[in-house]
Amino acid sequence: FDSRSIIGRDSFQLVGQGLAMVPEGRGVFARMTILENLMMGAYTRDDTAGIKTDIERMFETFPRLRERATQLAGTMSGGEQQMLAMARALMSRPRLLLLDEPSMGLSPIMVAKIFEVIRAVSASGTTLLLVEQNARLALEAANRCYVMDSGLITMTGDAASMLNDPRVRAAYLGEAG
C-alpha cells in the first residue's frame, strides 16, 4: 500500500495508514452499542469535532443506526449489522476501503441500500476494493474489474466493457452469449 509492504502489519497500523475493511460476516462488536461501534471505527483519530460530524453523517447515511444508537450491535438484523460495519469502517476516513461480500445474506432492499452507499463512497473519492459474488451489482458499481477463478485472475478490464462482454455475461450473469 503506497508502495510499501503491509505484510505482517497489525490492523491498527493499517487503519492508521488509511486502510479499512468490512469483513465477510460483518464483524461488529456484538456486546457494544451502535454508537460504541462507530466510536471504535474512529479510535485512531483525535479530532473530536470531526468524529461527531462523521457520526452524524453515518446516521444520515444509515437512518436505522440513529434509531437504534443505544442498542447492542449483536441484537441487530444482518442487514443492520452490515450497515454498521460499513459505517464503522468509514469512521476511520479510509483512503482504501476493502469490502468482502457486502451483499451476502441480505434482503434485496438491503442490498440496494448497501450498493447505493458503495457508489456514494466511491464518488466521494475513496478507493474501494470490492469482492462480490453478485457480478451484475459489482460491475455496475465498479470502474475496473478482475474476474477470478480458483484463485487466479482470468479476465481484467474496465467494468463497463466487462458488463457487456459475452463471456462474462454467459459465465457470471446467466445470460446466453
Side-chain angles (χ1 to χ4, degrees):
F1 185 64
D2 279 342
S3 301
R4 294 184 311 238
S5 174
I6 58 172
I7 295 172
R9 291 285 177 96
D10 292 323
S11 56
F12 72 90
Q13 293 171 317
L14 297 175
V15 171
Q17 289 181 323
L19 289 163
M21 180 176 182
V22 178
E24 179 181 336
R26 297 152 189 99
V28 299
F29 298 111
R31 294 184 176 165
M32 297 175 93
T33 67
I34 290 168
L35 187 55
E36 289 168 336
N37 267 269
L38 293 176
M39 293 297 293
M40 288 299 293
Y43 80 98
T44 60
R45 296 173 53 190
D46 60 7
D47 60 321
T48 305
I51 291 169
K52 286 182 181 179
T53 298
D54 285 350
I55 287 173
E56 184 58 32
R57 192 174 46 128
M58 292 304 111
F59 284 160
E60 288 172 6
T61 303
F62 301 108
R64 181 68 126 192
L65 298 182
R66 181 193 310 275
E67 295 169 13
R68 301 185 175 192
T70 59
Q71 181 176 332
L72 293 180
T75 64
M76 298 166 51
S77 73
E80 293 165 340
Q81 286 185 15
Q82 186 65 36
M83 287 189 277
L84 178 57
M86 288 182 69
R88 185 186 62 206
L90 291 169
M91 286 296 298
S92 69
R93 293 186 177 173
R95 292 182 298 127
L96 173 59
L97 178 61
L98 308 164
L99 298 166
D100 190 4
E101 299 288 351
S103 73
M104 186 171 65
L106 302 183
S107 70
I109 290 172
M110 193 59 66
V111 170
K113 175 62 177 174
I114 293 300
F115 271 86
E116 174 187 314
V117 172
I118 288 170
R119 286 187 291 277
V121 169
S122 177
S124 76
T126 301
T127 301
L128 294 148
L129 177 61
L130 172 65
V131 175
E132 176 60 56
Q133 295 220 3
N134 186 326
R136 179 173 305 284
L137 283 176
L139 287 167
E140 289 171 350
N143 294 320
R144 187 130 191 91
C145 175
Y146 298 87
V147 176
M148 294 185 75
D149 186 14
S150 301
L152 299 173
I153 295 175
T154 58
M155 296 177 72
T156 185
D158 71 89
S161 295
M162 298 287 274
L163 188 57
N164 295 312
D165 186 301
R167 297 167 298 166
V168 172
R169 295 178 77 80
Y172 300 100
L173 303 177
E175 299 175 8

